[in-house]
Amino acid sequence: MRKGLLAILVLGVLALNGCGQSGPLYMPDDSEQQQQQ
């Protein structure tokens, strides 16, 4: 019983830790950066 509960707890923490760890959703335009500099 305790091993199952511990496994659920660990998997839940890992799942929540993975939220929001993604990178940018699009490639930024190089032309915009060059114009600003």
Side-chain angles (χ1 to χ4, degrees):
M1 179 71 179
R2 285 188 183 260
K3 288 184 180 180
L5 184 60
L6 180 63
I8 291 172
L9 180 64
V10 168
L11 289 175
V13 169
L14 290 175
L16 289 175
N17 191 25
C19 295
Q21 297 293 329
S22 63
L25 298 178
Y26 62 90
M27 296 295 290
D29 285 336
D30 291 335
S31 60
E32 288 182 14
Q33 292 178 352
Q34 289 175 356
Q35 290 175 357
Q36 291 177 356
Q37 293 176 355

